[in-house]
Structures are given as structure tokens and as C-alpha cells.
Amino acid sequence: MHIDILTLFPPMFAGVFSSGIFQRAIDQELVSIGIHNIRDYTHDKHHTVDDCPYGGGAGMVLKPGPVFEAVESIKKEPATPIILLSPQGRLFCQQVAQELSSYSHLILICGHYEGVDERVSEHLATDEISIGDYVLTGGELAAMVVIDAVVRLLPGVLGSAESLLDDSHVAGLLEYPQYTRPPVYREWSVPEVLLSGNHAQIAKWRREQAILRTGKRRPELLEKAELGPEARKLTEKLR
Ligand code: J9Q
């Protein structure tokens, strides 16, 4: 997969893709990343990227011209998703990450906190994504979140151990509680069952814990989760 990022702040991406799992994926050529400064697609002497909003009001609005020209110079295939990161977008979740991971090329446009000319959303972007209902200073951190979630889904990016770990909570539940040594820390003991060596009991306990904690902390996830009849009974007990 190749990912192109359009941003006014290329230095924000320095370091993010040069560590751990990400660097390995780039080294193995499973993913490549292009970072493009929107300012490089201006033609005027002052390299103007934003202007005052028509109708008045505070702040500046990102001009359409440089963004259109950047995308048009980068896009090769008509089917490439052109994704605008903005608070007005559809809410990002694991399902959207899975959907995006099926493409060979993505173009991400990082907007300004103050706004992007609406013609970018209407006539250039093919998708608009929000990572949640809070105010960021720009789309850059949102783009990093999307890229992280998508790249780890690409075949070969995770090691087999990490992939197996992932399979254990595909059902859409929260993770079960985890412990490591020591068996007693201060006066707090690790649950007995985890020290028992009884793998069937451990698996049952973890599954129950995952369901109980999902019901307590994220009841809306439990509604949607794909649960067997045993697990459903447990959720009844929760009520
Ligand atoms: C560009 N707040 O917020 C949540 N998802 C994306 C955003 C965002 C923002 C400002 C500018 C994106």
C-alpha cells in the first residue's frame, strides 16, 4: 500500500513512521509513505495557502487551489480514495480501518482547524473521516491515527504472535485483565485461576471477564458483539 499525506506541517510526521512495527513494514516494502507540503502547490510569490472566510468571521480558510493541484499531481488511478480528515467526517472505527486496508493507494488531506474551503469536501474528497468528537489543531494527528490502524491490518505487517493476539478479541469486546509477575504486588494478588495451569479454566475466565467489563464500561459494544449462547446468558446475568 502507498499512502500520500497532504499537509501544511510535514515536520509533524517526522519520527512517527520510523519506529518499531512501522519501520519494519516500510523496510519490507509492505507500505510506503509520501509526505507533501500543500504550500509547494501554490503559484504566488507569498505561497498563500489560506484566506479570510467569505461572509466574515474569525480565522482563515484553506484555499481550494493548492489542495486540488496537489491531489491532481499525486493521483494516478481514478479509484484511489481521497480522504479529508475533519470533524464533519464519518466516525472512524475498526470497520472503516478494515475497509481502507483493502486499497493499494490512499491520499489523506489534513485540514486546518479553522476550516477548509467546502469545494474540497464537495468536489475533490471521496471520503471524509473524523476520529472523534473533540477539537484538534489540524488533521495531522487524525491522519496518523488512521494510518496506524490501517497499516497494522496489512498482510505481513504484524508478527504471528501479534496477529494471534488480535484474533482473540475480534468479536468486538474489550480485552480481559492481564497480569505479570510478581504474583503478589503490595497486597494485591493475581487471580488464582491464572496461576492454576488449567488452560480451559483460564480461557473461560478470560472470556467472562471480557464480557463483564465490556458490559460495565462499554454497554453499547456488548449490544453489537457477536456472542454465542453461553456469553448471551452471562450478559443476561449482568442486567
Ligand atoms: C482536522 N478537529 O477531529 C476529529 N477528527 C478529525 C478532527 C479534525 C479537527 C480539526 C481539523 C481534523
Side-chain angles (χ1 to χ4, degrees), residues 79-98:
T80 301
I82 299 162
I83 304 163
L84 177 64
L85 285 311
S86 98
Q88 286 77 44
R90 62 179 172 140
L91 199 55
F92 191 62
C93 65
Q94 194 61 25
Q95 194 188 319
V96 175
Q98 260 161 28

Side-chain angles (χ1 to χ4, degrees), residues 85-87 111-113 129-139 142:
L85 285 311
S86 98
H112 242 200
Y113 65 103
I129 290 177
S130 163
I131 62 161
D133 297 330
Y134 32 79
V135 183
L136 301 172
T137 53

